[in-house]
Every structure is written in structure tokens, then in C-alpha cells.
Amino acid sequence: ISTNPVTRPRAPAPMSPLFRPLLLLAVAAPSAVFSFAPPPIVRGPVHAGDRPIGHVGRARPALSESIRLDTTLSDDRVDLLFAWVSRAFAGDRRYNDLSIALAAIFGDIGEGTPLARMARDALDMLPPEEKAVGAPLGLTEREYASLGAMGAGQWTGQWRTRPHSLLTVSNMTSVDEWVKPLPRGVRRTLKKANAQNFTVAALPIRGDEPAPHSSLAHFRCVVEHEVRLIAAESNPYSFFDALSEAVSRYMGTTRMAGEIREYRDADGKVIAFAHEVRKGKTIRGQWFYATDQAAKSYVWFHSVYDLVRRAIEADGVDVVDLGPSGSDAFTELKERYGFVSVVDWPQVADYLGPFHYEDGENNSKEGLSLLEAIEGLNSRDN
């Protein structure tokens, strides 16, 4: 895992997996044989205060040993992956390669091998399930880190991003005004979502503190979400692409500003979270990750309903932005809920005001100005 800066936000194209396992030799579901390369030299230490989001380094193409990888995901393996990633974030260079992690966690390695010992060492330092362990970034750093994912390249005039799905709420006085015109099937789904037995808590992301969702419990949501979406593909690389994507997205969301809406089941277990950011006159549904259990409990639909309700009730919010979609099918789903896909979306969604924090906390600079936002985006090239 490398935390060298991303040189430029890749806003015009969907996020692609940042890691490919090495040469695929054979596939025999649910396992695959991959060539295995030794760990690369770390190009730089981990710095908790680095402004740009880190990225997962690509494996190096070298053929030295074949290892069979079992693509079965379990809680124990998610534990070990989080333990491994945590060691890399802590600056331990031995853990600075995701290909090594996958070999140690999913491979048929012997108990006495160096990889097995590294895995045991990492697991011995595994943080508690719900302990927030992210970097204690300041609000300015978090706001800069949020710009790319929010599509600031377009609303600052730097480059065009993908269309965003928008709902104008400025003329609505209650959530019922949004719900009533929706198709019958949509209304029925929202009714089921509101009848589920889960609880929701608002967790503000504060400056100079770890993000409240930088824990193993929330990492599980990201991993299960990405594996469910990506690993369903027939491509034999997809399972490992999903794990790489999960690590990258976890790194990203825990560095950003905003607020977390945390979902727990009847037993108190974290099953999903929605990451929201409010800036200017727009509230953005930035990220959503859910376990397999939550996916069957209408959690995403509840998060959209709750986001629209709060946007209508809030002073100064004109638009709800669900952002770009990874597929035409998801764009169409949002359209069924009243969200319109808009190419020139900054003409509708006003992001030019300051970031807003519900708990009253604020950046000492009263939020990033347009000039500062542009400078923040351009600084990633240097």
C-alpha cells in the first residue's frame, strides 16, 4: 500500500480498480492461482497529514512463485486485511504492498513462512472493532480532500465531470411533497424502508480527530459492499479488484469532511453508513456502503428518504445531489425517485458557499473560497 499523492482527480471517468493481481495462470472457482512477486521498495513514508488521498500501489510483474488464492470472504479475513492496512497506515514498510497482503490472507501459505508471521504480527495489533483509528486531520485538509469526489473540477471550471443526479427541494415544504408524485412501486419501497428495525445515528466528522467511521466495523461495510458489486462480474480478477477498490474507498471517505449517518441493526451491529457533505446551497450524498445484511433491509432507500427529508427541513438547502452513477441502471433507479441526471449540474447545484457543519464546528477560514478550491485541485499536480 502506497500513500503517495494522487496526481490529479480522475473525475471524467468512473473510478477504476487500482490493483491487479499478477499474471493469472489458472482459475478453479472459488480459488485461483496467481504468480507472486516480492514486496516493492516503499517510495516514501506514510504521513498522517498528507493532503491528497493515498492510493493502493499496483503489484509489480515478476514471476517467482505460484500461490493458490481462495476467494472466499469471511469476517476473519476482513479482520486480517484491516489489521494489515492499519500497519501500512502506521508507516510499517513491511506491509506496504497489497499483493503481499492478498497472498498472506487468501493464499495457501505455510504457517512458518515469513508471510504467515507478518499476518500474525498484524493481527496481534488489530484495533478494537469500533475504535476510530484514522488520521486526525484538520478541517481544511478534510475539505481539500473532499473536492475531487464532490466534482469540484466542474464547478470551479477546471474540467467536466460526469452528470450528477439532482433533486430540487427549494419549493418543497415537506417530504410528502416529494413522495406523493413518485410511482406506486417506489412509494411502496420507501414505506418498507421506513418500517425496518434499524437505528440511525448522526456522527459529525470533526477537525483534528479521527473520522468516526475509520474503524474495523465500518471497513467491513466498505469491503462487503464493493465485493458484492464488483465480484459478481465474471472476470476472474473481479474479487481482488473489489478488495483493492474497498481499501482505496475506505482511505478516501475517512479523509473527507462532512457527516456520517450510521446504521445499526437490532443487535447494535454497524451494517451501513452514508457519508454526506453540505456545501453552499447543496447537500451531497457522497458515499454509501452497506453489508450484505443491510442490502436486504432497504437501507439505501431509507438513506435517500432521510436525506431528502432533512434537506427540505434545513434552511438554505436548495438541492440534493446524489452524484454520478456507476451505471445507466443506477441512473435510472435514481430517476424513479425524482432525481434528474444533469450534465451541466453546477448550474443547478450551488456549491460555491462554505462547508456546513451541523454541530456548529467550522473551519476557521469559514470554508474554502472558489480560488482556494481551484488552488487545492491544482496543487495535486505538484
Side-chain angles (χ1 to χ4, degrees):
I1 297 169
S2 170
T3 55
N4 288 337
V6 173
T7 57
R8 176 185 291 273
R10 305 296 182 184
M15 183 181 293
S16 59
L18 297 173
F19 166 79
R20 288 268 183 193
L22 302 183
L23 179 65
L24 176 65
L25 301 179
V27 177
S31 63
V33 178
F34 293 92
S35 66
F36 173 68
I41 298 173
V42 176
R43 289 166 291 189
V46 173
H47 295 290
D50 283 349
R51 179 179 300 160
I53 301 172
H55 70 282
V56 180
R58 292 181 181 269
R60 296 185 175 184
L63 303 177
S64 58
E65 181 182 351
S66 293
I67 293 179
R68 180 169 294 275
L69 302 178
D70 177 8
T71 59
T72 303
L73 190 66
S74 66
D75 285 345
D76 288 344
R77 284 176 168 171
V78 175
D79 287 351
L80 184 49
L81 180 58
F82 187 75
W84 192 288
V85 169
S86 296
R87 296 314 309 146
F89 291 164
D92 191 331
R93 297 188 177 190
R94 297 177 301 158
Y95 296 89
N96 201 52
D97 192 309
L98 189 57
S99 63
I100 306 266
L102 298 183
I105 298 167
F106 297 93
D108 58 348
I109 59 175
E111 288 295 323
T113 62
L115 280 183
R117 289 194 294 272
M118 287 179 65
R120 287 195 299 272
D121 290 347
L123 203 55
D124 286 342
M125 292 181 278
L126 178 69
E129 179 82 13
E130 296 191 16
K131 180 179 180 180
V133 295
L137 304 179
L139 283 181
T140 298
E141 293 172 283
R142 292 194 179 281
E143 290 175 1
Y144 275 123
S146 303
L147 295 176
M150 294 177 71
Q154 185 157 338
W155 52 258
T156 58
Q158 299 297 288
W159 58 80
R160 184 174 292 278
T161 65
R162 290 178 289 163
H164 281 211
S165 295
L166 307 179
L167 175 70
T168 300
V169 299
S170 53
N171 294 325
M172 296 183 186
T173 58
S174 74
V175 70
D176 289 339
E177 293 184 32
W178 167 62
V179 173
K180 285 181 179 179
L182 298 177
R184 180 184 301 176
V186 169
R187 297 198 306 271
R188 194 161 46 235
T189 297
L190 292 175
K191 184 176 181 180
K192 290 178 180 178
N194 285 313
Q196 297 299 309
N197 188 21
F198 48 62
T199 60
V200 189
L203 307 177
I205 301 175
R206 296 189 171 92
D208 303 316
E209 295 180 12
H213 59 310
S214 60
S215 75
L216 172 57
H218 299 87
F219 182 74
R220 289 189 199 282
C221 297
V222 182
V223 170
E224 289 191 28
H225 190 94
E226 293 303 311
V227 168
R228 185 172 62 254
L229 293 182
I230 298 177
E233 302 172 4
S234 58
N235 187 322
Y237 292 118
S238 60
F239 177 77
F240 301 102
D241 285 344
L243 294 177
S244 170
E245 191 77 5
V247 173
S248 178
R249 286 175 177 263
Y250 169 81
M251 292 168 67
T253 181
T254 57
R255 296 181 67 87
M256 296 180 185
E259 184 175 76
I260 300 302
R261 294 279 160 166
E262 179 190 76
Y263 285 78
R264 293 177 181 263
D265 64 14
D267 297 324
K269 179 182 178 181
V270 176
I271 58 172
F273 68 89
H275 185 164
E276 303 170 2
V277 183
R278 180 176 167 184
K279 189 177 189 302
K281 297 180 180 180
T282 303
I283 185 166
R284 168 72 184 275
Q286 188 98 317
W287 306 109
F288 177 85
Y289 300 109
T291 63
D292 295 342
Q293 173 191 350
K296 302 173 184 178
S297 303
Y298 301 93
V299 174
W300 180 79
F301 300 98
H302 183 276
S303 72
V304 174
Y305 176 93
D306 193 49
L307 178 60
V308 172
R309 177 187 61 78
R310 286 182 285 107
I312 294 172
E313 294 174 356
D315 292 331
V317 175
D318 291 344
V319 173
V320 177
D321 182 0
L322 292 186
S325 302
S327 66
D328 291 341
F330 198 32
T331 297
E332 293 170 3
L333 175 64
K334 294 174 183 177
E335 288 175 347
R336 284 178 55 80
Y337 285 78
F339 288 80
V340 180
S341 182
V342 181
V343 174
D344 194 9
W345 53 268
Q347 293 299 315
V348 180
D350 181 358
Y351 277 103
L352 298 184
F355 284 81
H356 179 87
Y357 300 95
E358 291 292 342
D359 63 349
E361 181 171 6
N362 205 346
N363 187 346
S364 60
K365 302 172 80 172
E366 295 297 325
L368 298 175
S369 67
L370 177 61
L371 177 60
E372 289 171 323
I374 295 174
E375 291 174 345
L377 290 172
N378 290 338
S379 69
R380 296 175 185 240
D381 294 332
N382 300 326

